Amino acid sequence: MSTTQSDRLRGLLEPLVAAKGLDLEDIEMSKAGKRRMLRIIVDSDEGVELDACAELSREVSDKLDESDVMGEDEYVLEVSSPGADRPLTEHRHYVRAIDRLVKFQLAEGGELIARILDVDDEGMDLEVPGVKGRKATARRIAFSDIAKARVEIEFNRKDKKEEEA
């Protein structure tokens, strides 16, 4: 997708998305056979429900039909939330990942798996799980020390409410 088309789409869709209390995370265009696939990724601090995606999809479709930004060729529209495995790239992504286990690729090399406890403008406070029966340790990491970060999926983690009971 050309930068101009991407900019035009973002300018057209961002007000619609913001009106729903959502963040426009990404716009992706790809080929799907003879058709094009337009994927709009949205998120919020509370997550995004399926009904909100469906409602936004109808509004986006209407807006795109009124505009010439997609041209005359057929396309498939998909509005969805980011997957659980999406990279953390924005400050708000880290805030939304508080209490989650994250795998960090460090700028200096190496990796770190830790739970995000708190996030501020410079970086975050982490809890590094203990190994072989050892206690977890606290660590501070600056955003500038992070090359990549991605939430780790935890299948056996207890809910906070279960832990407090």
Side-chain angles (χ1 to χ4, degrees):
M1 172 167 54
S2 71
T3 305
T4 8
Q5 185 181 28
S6 177
D7 292 344
R8 287 184 64 206
L9 279 167
R10 188 166 287 279
L12 187 69
L13 302 179
E14 222 155 27
L16 277 177
V17 173
K20 298 284 182 199
L22 302 171
D23 296 314
L24 179 58
E25 293 292 343
D26 201 6
I27 299 173
E28 301 170 353
M29 180 78 79
S30 61
K31 284 289 234 180
K34 293 182 180 182
R35 293 185 184 175
R36 296 173 295 162
M37 168 71 85
L38 175 61
R39 182 172 289 126
I40 310 296
I41 311 293
V42 296
D43 202 3
S44 79
D45 291 344
E46 294 79 35
V48 182
E49 294 189 3
L50 187 59
D51 290 344
C53 285
E55 184 179 329
L56 182 60
S57 179
R58 287 188 290 275
E59 291 182 23
V60 166
S61 179
D62 291 345
K63 194 70 159 178
L64 291 173
D65 288 347
E66 294 170 7
S67 141
D68 67 344
V69 71
M70 291 301 293
E72 296 297 318
D73 294 337
E74 290 185 24
Y75 64 92
V76 175
L77 173 64
E78 179 183 302
V79 176
S80 67
S81 63
D85 64 341
R86 68 117 181 252
L88 305 177
T89 57
E90 302 284 336
H91 183 272
R92 68 179 177 265
H93 298 164
Y94 291 99
V95 171
R96 291 174 185 158
I98 288 176
D99 292 326
R100 306 282 307 269
L101 197 61
V102 174
K103 183 176 189 176
F104 298 93
Q105 298 292 328
L106 304 176
E108 64 201 28
E111 66 181 37
L112 169 69
I113 296 178
R115 189 168 310 282
I116 298 177
L117 301 176
D118 192 31
V119 178
D120 59 32
D121 291 339
E122 287 81 40
M124 62 198 88
D125 296 320
L126 307 173
E127 179 184 72
V128 181
V131 181
K132 295 184 181 178
R134 294 187 178 163
K135 283 188 142 190
T137 56
R139 180 167 175 180
R140 173 88 182 155
I141 189 169
F143 289 116
S144 59
D145 294 336
I146 302 168
K148 293 180 185 177
R150 189 178 302 270
V151 170
E152 291 282 284
I153 307 300
E154 296 179 86
F155 293 105
N156 59 354
R157 178 161 190 238
K158 289 184 179 179
D159 186 314
K160 273 187 171 182
K161 292 176 187 169
E162 290 178 35
E163 290 175 0
E164 293 170 359

